[in-house]
Amino acid sequence: MIKPKLETDALLNKLFPSMESGKNLLTDLQIMDIIRKARRVPDRHEGLLVEGLAKLINGQFDEGVELCERSIQLNTHDHVAWLNFGVTLSSLGHHSMQNDLLWRAMSYGLVEAYLKALSVSAFWVDVKMFEHAYEFLDRAGLINTSLTEKQKYEVEFMHELGSRLDFIAPFATIAMEIAESERLVVTNSHVSGDAEHGYCYALHIDESDPDKLLMVNDMALHKILSKGLHALDCVTVFVSESH
């Protein structure tokens, strides 16, 4: 998680565990105290961000989104606000909203947004976003200097799949649609298989209930059929993170 300026560090440190997990780990009194202090932060865009994130994790979604949007509009070049807003949205199961936010942040030329987009696009096999982020970072000479080891692996993974990405991407989109509709907590994703035996896009979720797992996998099958993808040698599966 990215930390903003010192004025709001103490408040966001209290919010970070909930922002990352997508679960409210704070009491009502703690949330109220954070919001009260956020309203006294001198830098208005930082105060709006903290209050918005607090309300997001407290279940006040629409109000939280509105406050965070006001924050980023007051300072469109504060990558901290964009990324923390996006990570919180994703943790709460609003993955497409995070993607839209990243596209907007990249339009302001924020390097940190391009770096984040590289990882997010690899996770969801979003070919357009990956190519856009990679091209910018490569042109800026940052591919060899600014990527983490994990991001270097993600780049290698996407390049190895090559033209097969367009083939696999619709199955990752199905996984995202279901993850959003069911507000699933996602932890990882991977692609397995080969051209001879077919491919599998697997989304790892924080879910141990076998009935729930069966339900979301049935949903994936129905979506594959309804989208006319059943003739392609690829499937979408949901896997419990505990297995």
Side-chain angles (χ1 to χ4, degrees):
M1 190 69 68
I2 306 298
K3 293 185 179 181
K5 298 175 184 177
L6 292 176
E7 294 87 347
T8 54
D9 274 355
L11 296 176
L12 286 196
N13 281 339
K14 296 177 181 178
L15 292 173
F16 283 153
S18 298
M19 290 162 60
E20 292 178 322
S21 68
K23 302 173 184 177
N24 187 359
L25 305 176
L26 300 168
T27 66
D28 290 342
L29 286 177
Q30 288 174 316
I31 290 288
M32 290 173 60
D33 184 58
I34 289 171
I35 291 174
R36 178 175 55 82
K37 291 177 179 176
R39 290 173 177 170
R40 297 205 302 258
V41 172
D43 191 320
R44 191 65 187 126
H45 97 271
E46 288 190 8
L48 287 169
L49 174 68
V50 172
E51 183 178 355
L53 295 174
K55 292 198 172 186
L56 280 175
I57 66 173
N58 197 42
Q60 299 165 270
F61 186 78
D62 291 339
E63 190 174 355
V65 167
E66 181 184 354
L67 289 166
C68 289
E69 286 285 353
R70 287 171 58 192
S71 170
I72 59 179
Q73 290 309 312
L74 284 175
N75 187 350
T76 55
H77 292 284
D78 181 4
H79 70 275
V80 170
W82 288 98
L83 297 188
N84 280 325
F85 183 19
V87 167
T88 305
L89 287 173
S90 178
S91 295
L92 293 171
H94 297 271
H95 309 292
S96 59
M97 287 184 69
Q98 182 193 34
N99 288 3
D100 291 342
L101 205 66
L102 283 171
W103 277 111
R104 289 166 56 198
M106 286 189 287
S107 74
Y108 290 100
L110 299 178
V111 171
E112 296 83 359
Y114 282 96
L115 289 167
K116 182 64 177 179
L118 200 69
S119 295
V120 170
S121 60
F123 189 100
W124 293 111
V125 194
D126 186 328
V127 181
K128 183 178 179 181
M129 179 182 283
F130 177 82
E131 291 178 346
H132 182 74
Y134 184 87
E135 180 182 347
F136 173 90
L137 295 169
D138 187 39
R139 191 168 61 246
L142 298 173
I143 292 296
N144 295 323
T145 61
S146 298
L147 301 191
T148 65
E149 289 304 313
K150 184 174 185 294
Q151 286 175 317
K152 290 176 182 177
Y153 170 81
E154 290 165 345
V155 167
E156 182 181 358
F157 157 75
M158 293 289 276
H159 283 163
E160 283 181 356
L161 286 175
S163 62
R164 291 163 291 182
L165 288 170
D166 290 323
F167 171 76
I168 298 167
F171 296 87
T173 299
I174 286 174
M176 179 189 285
E177 291 172 352
I178 295 171
E180 287 198 312
S181 68
E182 299 300 313
R183 293 291 175 258
L184 302 175
V185 177
V186 303
T187 57
N188 198 7
S189 71
H190 74 269
V191 175
S192 59
D194 54 47
E196 181 180 356
H197 300 99
Y199 293 90
C200 171
Y201 177 85
L203 186 64
H204 296 245
I205 60 175
D206 184 10
E207 181 60 66
S208 58
D209 182 351
D211 291 332
K212 179 75 171 185
L213 285 167
L214 179 62
M215 183 192 78
V216 293
N217 278 294
D218 281 345
M219 290 175 68
L221 177 58
H222 288 304
K223 278 186 173 287
I224 289 171
L225 294 172
S226 67
K227 291 174 181 285
L229 299 173
H230 53 281
L232 301 179
D233 288 330
C234 190
V235 295
T236 304
V237 299
F238 290 88
V239 181
S240 171
E241 180 62 23
S242 60
H243 289 85

